[in-house]
Amino acid sequence: MSKTADYAWLDGKLVPWANATMHISTECVLRGENVFEGIRAYWNEEQQELFTFRHADHIARLRQGARIMRMAIPYSDAEIEAASLELIRACNYRETIHYRPVVYFAEGELTHYLPSEIRTGFFILAFAMPSKTVQETGVKSAISTWRRNSDLASPSRIKSGANYHNSRLAYIEARMNGMGPPVMLNAAGKVAEGPGACVMILRHGKLITPPVTADILESITRETLMELARNELGLEVVERDVDRSELYVADEAFFCGSGAEVLPMVSIDHYEIGDGTPGEVTRKLQGLYNDAVRGRLEKYRHWLTPVWRGNAVKDAAA
Ligand SMILES: Cc1ncc(COP(=O)(O)O)c(C=O)c1O
């Protein structure tokens, strides 16, 4: 099923969905030359409010990726936030969504990067995306035969469209083998991440996750969960290399990401993890995360931006 919405935001303005098109000769279309973000906004039914989650942190990561790619983002942070809110409001979303700000190279050559030689454009997509029910049951994972993009070739810390060819290969292989999302190792043979999410395990009471130097995306959900685990569960959190065989003896394991949320692994390479059901700490972290992102934890409200109340305040001031 293809994703659709009433509007998209393209190069400075809202456009009806059908008009949100780009020429086939752009570098973005030809070679996947873009850097993007995947951000959720969560609907809180009691408060009748939609909250974007850690928008500013996502845009900081977008700028980091664009810097490495030498792409000049043609909008300020304030303009990107205003455009994101404008799009979400135009689509009248009062449900949980995923929105994607994307910076891209337009027509030019592979050697072009200066604003004087290639146009750098910007678009935003926003789709309804309810939390996945598989969060409850968990997924059966496997080690991919594909290695995660190396920092020596195509740094995984850049969330660029082109990096997702690597993810696609891994997803498809796992799917053909009847498995859920796989775990990818890096060139050194250590656990890197999933094709669209980071990996955490629980062993001997400690929450362990590969470091940002393990060829992973510097995940905002990973940061969020490390903070929640330390603050709310008093867990020791360790960022260190993780061996493949450690996954086989982990007490608990899960993927985490804006799209994936907290997704338990119940087996890996047919080894049951724990008792083969989502673990207790995983469940607790899921609960904390689900509360934090929906504005139910006052302490973490600074991560959220209200979409509709913000609008009401603006209207009142006008
Ligand atoms: C390859 C990859 N790793 C990790 C993540 C998790 O990152 P975040 O928590 O910032 O969404 C994602 C999801 O966006 C991803 O695509």
Side-chain angles (χ1 to χ4, degrees):
M1 198 181 70
S2 58
K3 298 186 173 97
T4 183
D6 290 343
Y7 297 96
W9 194 94
L10 177 59
D11 293 329
K13 57 180 186 304
L14 280 181
V15 288
W17 183 257
N19 300 350
T21 56
M22 179 176 300
H23 200 270
I24 54 176
S25 65
T26 57
E27 286 296 302
C28 180
V29 172
L30 267 178
R31 288 185 261 252
E33 288 179 24
N34 64 58
V35 178
F36 71 105
E37 273 307 319
I39 314 172
R40 272 197 193 252
Y42 283 89
W43 179 245
N44 180 314
E45 185 63 30
E46 297 79 56
Q47 297 176 30
Q48 292 290 299
E49 183 54 279
L50 187 65
F51 292 108
T52 66
F53 185 64
R54 299 192 73 166
H55 172 96
D57 296 318
H58 279 278
I59 300 307
R61 186 174 67 187
L62 184 78
R63 288 200 180 277
Q64 173 181 283
R67 176 183 169 82
I68 302 171
M69 295 279 291
R70 300 189 191 279
M71 292 177 123
I73 299 183
Y75 300 100
S76 68
D77 287 0
E79 286 168 332
I80 294 171
E81 180 162 31
S84 303
L85 294 176
E86 184 187 16
L87 173 63
I88 296 168
R89 287 173 187 151
C91 294
N92 202 23
Y93 284 126
R94 288 161 201 276
E95 63 194 305
T96 294
I97 64 163
H98 197 244
Y99 63 101
R100 295 183 185 150
V102 185
V103 54
Y104 69 93
F105 277 145
E107 289 88 351
E109 298 298 329
L110 203 46
T111 54
H112 288 172
Y113 72 97
L114 294 169
S116 56
E117 54 191 6
I118 192 165
R119 184 173 68 81
T120 307
F122 200 92
F123 64 87
I124 311 173
L125 300 169
F127 308 107
M129 193 195 267
S131 290
K132 297 185 178 72
T133 49
V134 70
Q135 268 196 29
E136 293 301 315
T137 47
V139 292
K140 294 182 176 181
S141 186
I143 302 294
S144 179
T145 65
W146 295 99
R147 295 295 170 103
R148 191 66 185 140
N149 290 317
S150 158
D151 198 63
L152 298 173
S154 187
S156 292
R157 69 166 43 76
I158 311 175
K159 195 170 169 67
S160 67
N163 271 353
Y164 283 81
H165 298 306
N166 178 238
S167 298
R168 176 173 266 275
L169 289 169
Y171 270 132
I172 290 174
E173 177 192 53
R175 196 179 142 199
M176 290 179 81
N177 289 332
M179 305 305 286
V183 170
M184 302 180 78
L185 306 181
N186 57 27
K190 302 295 180 188
V191 172
E193 60 180 346
C198 280
V199 171
M200 293 193 168
I201 63 171
L202 192 85
R203 278 196 79 197
H204 310 308
K206 292 180 193 164
L207 192 66
I208 303 167
T209 191
V212 293
T213 48
D215 290 328
I216 67 169
L217 182 69
E218 295 179 347
S219 156
I220 286 150
T221 316
R222 174 182 170 281
E223 287 288 333
T224 301
L225 292 173
M226 290 197 296
E227 197 168 331
L228 290 174
R230 285 186 179 119
N231 290 354
E232 307 305 321
L233 302 180
L235 280 179
E236 187 178 338
V237 182
V238 186
E239 295 173 77
R240 64 154 174 82
D241 279 335
V242 173
D243 282 334
R244 171 183 190 154
S245 58
E246 279 192 283
L247 298 178
Y248 302 158
V249 293
D251 299 314
E252 301 186 25
F254 58 89
F255 290 108
C256 66
S258 303
E261 304 178 299
V262 180
L263 182 61
M265 283 183 226
V266 292
S267 71
I268 177 124
D269 287 345
H270 304 284
Y271 290 96
E272 259 188 7
I273 296 175
D275 66 359
T277 63
E280 193 186 323
V281 172
T282 308
R283 284 262 181 251
K284 283 187 185 156
L285 282 171
Q286 250 179 358
L288 286 164
Y289 185 76
N290 289 339
D291 284 346
V293 297
R294 286 175 179 78
R296 294 190 206 117
L297 300 180
E298 201 48 47
K299 187 169 165 189
Y300 300 104
R301 278 294 282 264
H302 59 281
W303 283 334
L304 309 180
T305 308
V307 171
W308 292 110
R309 198 175 55 211
N311 200 25
V313 169
K314 207 178 75 192
D315 287 349

